[in-house]
Amino acid sequence: MTVLATPRATELEASVEQLVYVRDDEYTVARMSTDDPRDGPASFVASGRALAGVQPGETLNLTGEWDEHPRHGSRLLVTRCERVVPSTVRAIRLYLGSGLVRGIGPRLAHAIVSHFGERTLTVIDTEPERLTEVVNIGVTRQAQIVQAWAEQKAVAELMVVLQGFGISPLLASKIYQVYGNDAREVLTTDPYRLIGQVRGIAFHTADRIALRSGVPEHSPRRLQAAVLDRLETAAARDGHCYLPLTVLLPSAAALVEQEEESVRRAVDALAAERAVVVEESPAGPGLVAYAKEQHGREVAFVSHLARLLRARSTLPLRPFPDDGDLQEDQRAAVNLALTSTVSVLTGGPGCGKSHTVRVVASTVRAMGGSVTLTAPTGKAAKRLSELTGLPAMTVHRMLAQRPDPEEGTLFQRLPTEADLIVVDEASMLDLQLATRLVAAIPTGTHLLLVGDGDQLPSIGPGNVLGDLLDVEEVPRVRLTHVFRQAQDSGIVRAAHRIRSGRLPDLPGGGGFWFEELDDPERVADRVVHLATEAIPRKQGVGGDKVQVLCPMRKGATGTAELGRSLQERLNPAREGTAEHWSGPSVFRVGDRVMPIRNNYDKGVFNGETATVTAVLPQDRVLELRTGDGEAVRYTFDELDELTHSYAISVHRSQGSEYPFVVAPIVAEAGGVMLRRGLLYTLVTRAKAWVVLVGQREALELAVRRLGPRRNTGLALRLALSLRS
C-alpha cells in the first residue's frame, strides 16, 4: 500500500464483487474486495466517476480517499482507476467466473483455477492447448474459450486507448463489435467513421478522438462530419427531414468553432459527393439541405403513393350493405375506402374508427376479397385485432424480407396479394417505414390509413399522416360524432377538451383525475406510490397493469429516475440472483423492457413489450419473452437496444393502451416537452383510469402550447405530383 499526500489517501488493488449503482453521468458505486488486509477492509464500497465501465470480476488499481458512509461503512472515494491483470488465485477465479470471458461460469472457473493456480491466465494466454487437461473441456470448448479470451483482451486494450482520449470505456466493446481487430486503426486514422456505425458515438465523441489524434480543426473531413451530424441530430431529436441552410450553417459552425463560409464549402463538397441534397425550400424562399437518405425516401414515397392513387381499383364495385349502426360520416368513410385506392380515416377517441374499419374489412371479405390489417407496433396490432375481431400483424412483419442474390441487399414483398391493406395508428409511421410500405403494395390494391392526426407524430423523422392530411387531393374522412358510451368516459371528455385547446374539468371524474402537487420530488414519490401501491390495491390488480408515462426523460419526474424507483419497488435485487449492469441500467429476471430499435434478425421491433426471463453471465446473454410469446436473446453488448419500460416516454406509448396510466406533469427545465399533442396522446393511452400528478400551471401550459412543425417536403412534393 502506498500512502499519498494525506493520511486518508491510499492506493490499493481490489476486485469488483458487485455493482451497486450507476448514474447517467457514469458515477458508479461498487462493492470491492481485497486479498491484502493491509490495503484496508477485506470488503468495502468504492464510488466515483473514475469507476465508469468497471464490471464484476475485474481487478483494479485504485487511488482515492477513505471516508465513512452512514449506510455502506468504509467507502473509498476513487479519483483514479486502472485495470490490472488479476494475480491471486481468488481474484483469478472471480475474474473467470464473472462472465467476462464468455463460456466460463463459476464452476468451470473453479475447475480451471484449481488445476493451474496462479499460472491460469498465463496458460490461457500462452499454452491454451493445455486447457483440455481440465475435466469437461474438450477441443471445441477450448477453442471457444481461447476466442473469447482474445476478444476480452482486445476490448480491455481498447478501453485503455479510449481512456487516453478521455472517452468512456463503456464504448470499447461496441467499437470492437463493429470493427474487430481493426478497431484501434479506425480510432487513430479515421474516427469520424464511428459516427452512425457505432451505437452511442456521436460527433462530440469522434471529434475529441480526432483532435487528440492530430486532425486539424479546419480539416474538411471534420467540417463535413459536423454538417452530417447536425442533419442526423435534427432527424433523430426533432423529426426533421431537412434543415434550412440558414439554420444548418450556423449550427455546424458553432459545433466546430469555425466560420460559416468554411462550413458552406463543406456542404458543397458533400452535395458534390451526393451525401446531401441541397434544393429550394418547400416552405418558401431559401435553400435547404437533406441527408441523402431522407431526400430519397421523400421522393420514393411520393412516387409510389401517386402510383397507388392513380391505379384502377381491383375491388368489385358493389354497394356495401347499409349498416344501421353507422353514422353518416362512417358510411362516407366506408364508401371511400371501397372506391378509392388510397384513403385516410381520421378522428378522435370514441368516434368509431375501429367499428368503421371492421365494417370496411367485412364488406371486402363479403365481396370475396382479402384484407390485411396492420399497425406499426405489436401492441397496436394486437389492439386492432381485439377491436375488429380479425387477425392483424405489424407492418414490419407484413413486409417480409428476402435476400436478393444479385444485389446482395434486402427487398420487400407482401406475403399475400391482399385486396385491401389497413394500417391503424398511422400517425406512428415515420418516413422510412411509410416508404417501405407504399413501395411494397401492388398497383390496384387499396390502402386505408387510419389514425388520429392530433396525436404526436412518429418517433422517427417525418410527419407522414399530417402531411397527407395537408394535401387536398388525398381522399379522407374525419369522424366527428362521439358516441354516447364514449361520452360517459372522463378520459374521452378530457381528451376532446385538450384537443380543442381547453383545460379538462378538474380535478376530474369518470376515469380522469388530476392531483395537484408543486414540488417535483413529491410528484415523483406520489407517482411511484400510485403506480406500485394505491392503484393496484384499490383495483385489485398487479403493478404490471399500471403504466407510468413521462413527458421528459431527465429530472426527478423523468423516465430515467422514475424508472429506477419503480424497478426497485417492483423488482428489487435479490441475494444470489444474477443481474447485469449495462451503463446506468441494471437488468434482472422479471424486468419489463422494450426494444428501442428494429432488429430484423431477432424479429423484434421498436415499441414492443417484453419480460426478462433469464440473465446468463456465463453466456453474456439476456433472454426475453415478448408480448407475442416469442423467446428472444440479446447479448450483453446489445443491451443499448433495450430500455426498461416501468416508466416510458409518451412517444413510446403510441399505439398502446393500458388499463391504468399515471403521469407526472411538471414544468421542470422549462417544460419544453409539455405540448398539446403530447398531453392529448398521453391521456388517450388509458383505458380505465388516467391520473395526472403535478402543477396546474404545467397542465395549462401543455394545453395551450402547440408543438413545432417538422421540416418535411413530402406534402408539397405529393401535391405537385398529383396536380401535374
Side-chain angles (χ1 to χ4, degrees):
M1 179 177 68
T2 303
V3 178
L4 303 181
T6 68
R8 302 277 296 161
T10 190
E11 181 178 327
L12 59 88
E13 187 173 292
S15 299
V16 184
E17 296 280 348
Q18 179 187 11
L19 294 180
V20 178
Y21 181 73
V22 182
R23 259 186 352 213
D24 277 347
D25 65 357
E26 299 185 346
Y27 178 87
T28 300
V29 180
R31 189 165 299 282
M32 312 290 296
S33 62
T34 62
D35 287 321
D36 189 345
R38 294 172 301 172
D39 284 342
S43 178
F44 63 94
V45 167
S47 63
R49 293 187 64 187
L51 293 172
V54 301
Q55 291 292 320
E58 289 186 315
T59 298
L60 310 173
N61 191 291
L62 304 175
T63 302
E65 294 188 355
W66 291 103
D67 79 343
E68 289 295 320
H69 190 276
R71 190 172 65 177
H72 299 303
S74 294
R75 179 178 64 167
L76 185 67
L77 305 179
V78 179
T79 56
R80 181 177 169 275
C81 166
E82 180 185 359
R83 290 168 174 80
V84 296
V85 177
S87 56
T88 68
V89 168
R90 186 199 64 84
I92 294 170
R93 186 181 294 119
L94 178 65
Y95 176 74
L96 290 180
S98 66
L100 282 169
V101 181
R102 189 178 65 256
I104 302 181
R107 284 188 178 182
L108 190 56
H110 186 274
I112 294 172
V113 177
S114 295
H115 188 76
F116 295 114
E118 292 183 354
R119 295 196 68 251
T120 295
L121 300 184
T122 302
V123 169
I124 297 175
D125 212 23
T126 62
E127 302 175 90
E129 66 280 356
R130 292 191 59 196
L131 285 170
T132 56
E133 297 174 13
V134 180
V135 177
N136 293 328
I137 297 183
V139 174
T140 301
R141 176 170 276 192
Q142 180 256 356
Q144 292 171 343
I145 292 173
V146 170
Q147 181 182 352
W149 172 255
E151 290 173 359
Q152 173 60 21
K153 279 188 64 179
V155 169
E157 290 170 3
L158 270 183
M159 286 181 173
V160 175
V161 175
L162 289 175
Q163 284 180 314
F165 289 124
I167 303 299
S168 169
L170 290 170
L171 296 170
S173 61
K174 297 177 187 177
I175 295 172
Y176 184 81
Q177 230 181 347
V178 175
Y179 300 111
N181 293 330
D182 296 331
R184 191 161 186 169
E185 182 182 353
V186 172
L187 276 174
T188 54
T189 60
D190 190 9
Y192 295 112
R193 279 179 61 190
L194 300 169
I195 303 172
Q197 293 186 4
V198 179
R199 297 187 303 272
I201 294 188
F203 178 81
H204 282 294
T205 300
D207 194 46
R208 181 184 297 180
I209 297 171
L211 292 177
R212 294 197 178 188
S213 298
V215 173
E217 292 185 356
H218 56 275
S219 162
R221 180 79 177 92
R222 180 174 185 246
L223 302 188
Q224 291 172 24
V227 169
L228 294 174
D229 173 81
R230 294 298 82 191
L231 290 174
E232 290 164 6
T233 300
R237 185 185 62 199
D238 303 315
H240 294 318
C241 294
Y242 68 77
L243 283 179
L245 287 191
T246 54
V247 174
L248 175 61
L249 296 181
S251 176
L255 187 65
V256 293
E257 298 181 338
Q258 298 293 310
E259 297 294 327
E260 285 187 34
E261 183 179 343
S262 300
V263 174
R264 178 56 201 263
R265 288 196 292 271
V267 171
D268 292 340
L270 289 167
E273 297 170 5
R274 298 187 178 180
V276 302
V277 176
V278 178
E279 63 183 28
E280 288 292 332
S281 169
L287 296 174
V288 301
Y290 284 83
K292 68 175 181 180
E293 295 83 5
Q294 303 298 351
H295 186 270
R297 288 168 187 152
E298 275 196 0
V299 171
F301 179 90
V302 168
S303 172
H304 285 289
L305 195 74
R307 168 180 61 83
L308 297 176
L309 272 166
R310 291 173 176 141
R312 177 176 297 178
S313 170
T314 58
L315 280 177
L317 293 176
R318 295 185 201 167
F320 74 93
D322 192 359
D323 188 330
D325 292 336
L326 292 180
Q327 294 294 312
E328 184 177 348
D329 53 4
Q330 290 179 300
R331 283 196 294 272
V334 174
N335 269 319
L336 188 64
L338 296 177
T339 57
S340 178
T341 49
V342 176
S343 59
V344 178
L345 172 61
T346 186
C351 291
K353 294 193 298 295
S354 297
H355 181 60
T356 304
V357 169
R358 183 164 58 241
V359 173
V360 171
S362 61
T363 302
V364 171
R365 295 174 74 183
M367 293 175 175
S370 59
V371 180
T372 298
L373 301 184
T374 72
T377 66
K379 268 202 166 184
K382 184 177 180 181
R383 183 164 165 252
L384 176 62
S385 181
E386 292 169 349
L387 291 171
T388 61
L390 298 170
M393 69 179 81
T394 64
V395 177
H396 299 93
R397 287 194 170 94
M398 183 183 69
L399 299 173
Q401 299 201 36
R402 300 288 186 273
D404 184 331
E406 293 183 5
E407 299 295 332
T409 59
L410 292 174
F411 69 91
Q412 291 78 42
R413 66 170 182 84
L414 296 185
T416 59
E417 294 294 326
D419 295 294
L420 169 69
I421 295 172
V422 179
V423 182
D424 196 18
E425 298 289 353
S427 62
M428 299 177 66
L429 289 174
D430 62 18
L431 182 60
Q432 181 181 19
L433 183 58
T435 302
R436 289 183 55 217
L437 170 68
V438 296
I441 297 176
T443 302
T445 295
H446 284 227
L447 172 64
L448 172 59
L449 298 169
V450 183
D452 188 341
D454 293 309
Q455 287 193 22
L456 288 172
S458 56
I459 294 177
N463 183 22
V464 175
L465 181 62
D467 286 341
L468 292 179
L469 293 173
D470 283 342
V471 180
E472 294 180 3
E473 289 79 4
V474 176
R476 90 286 303 278
V477 170
R478 183 184 183 92
L479 303 182
T480 57
H481 176 80
V482 181
F483 287 85
R484 181 172 298 177
Q485 183 178 0
Q487 290 175 357
D488 295 336
S489 164
I491 294 172
V492 173
R493 291 197 303 271
H496 281 280
R497 288 184 67 88
I498 291 167
R499 184 176 62 82
S500 62
R502 294 179 294 162
L503 196 68
D505 294 327
L506 302 180
F512 172 86
W513 300 97
F514 176 70
E515 185 173 323
E516 188 169 359
L517 281 176
D518 190 58
D519 177 48
E521 297 286 348
R522 290 185 60 205
V523 170
D525 290 342
R526 181 60 176 162
V527 166
V528 171
H529 175 74
L530 285 167
T532 60
E533 296 183 38
I535 293 177
R537 183 174 62 245
K538 184 176 180 65
Q539 297 299 315
V541 298
D544 61 331
K545 300 298 182 184
V546 185
Q547 182 62 58
V548 173
L549 302 181
C550 303
M552 294 178 289
R553 183 182 182 278
K554 296 183 178 180
T557 58
T559 57
E561 288 300 320
L562 276 177
R564 286 194 190 98
S565 298
L566 290 164
Q567 183 188 31
E568 290 308 312
R569 290 283 189 94
L570 297 171
N571 194 27
R574 292 175 176 83
E575 188 82 26
T577 302
E579 63 180 31
H580 179 73
W581 284 85
S582 176
S585 300
V586 59
F587 292 89
R588 301 171 180 140
V589 172
D591 274 342
R592 291 149 53 182
V593 296
M594 174 182 288
I596 58 174
R597 293 184 183 89
N598 299 330
N599 191 315
Y600 298 101
D601 293 334
K602 300 181 190 299
V604 297
F605 304 102
N606 189 349
E608 289 187 312
T609 56
T611 302
V612 178
T613 55
V615 180
L616 306 173
Q618 176 176 337
D619 299 322
R620 298 189 60 77
V621 160
L622 207 68
E623 292 186 348
L624 315 178
R625 187 161 299 279
T626 69
D628 295 334
E630 298 291 327
V632 181
R633 292 186 132 209
Y634 278 81
T635 69
F636 285 176
D637 292 330
E638 297 174 316
L639 294 184
D640 60 351
E641 293 188 19
L642 296 176
T643 185
H644 288 87
S645 58
Y646 295 103
I648 61 175
S649 69
V650 180
H651 245 126
R652 295 204 180 279
S653 73
Q654 284 181 272
S656 300
E657 192 176 59
Y658 310 95
F660 307 97
V661 168
V662 183
I665 304 293
V666 297
E668 284 189 285
V672 292
M673 297 302 294
L674 292 176
R675 302 183 186 277
R676 187 183 302 170
L678 181 141
L679 182 62
Y680 175 75
T681 303
L682 188 163
V683 169
T684 55
R685 296 310 90 203
K687 191 172 183 179
W689 278 19
V690 59
V691 183
L692 309 181
V693 182
Q695 303 156 344
R696 182 186 175 103
E697 59 268 28
L699 184 65
E700 293 172 346
L701 174 65
V703 169
R704 69 172 180 265
R705 188 161 61 179
L706 297 174
R709 287 188 64 87
R710 291 184 168 185
N711 296 338
T712 85
L714 192 148
L716 180 60
R717 288 185 204 281
L718 183 59
L720 292 173
S721 175
L722 297 178
R723 292 166 193 170
S724 61

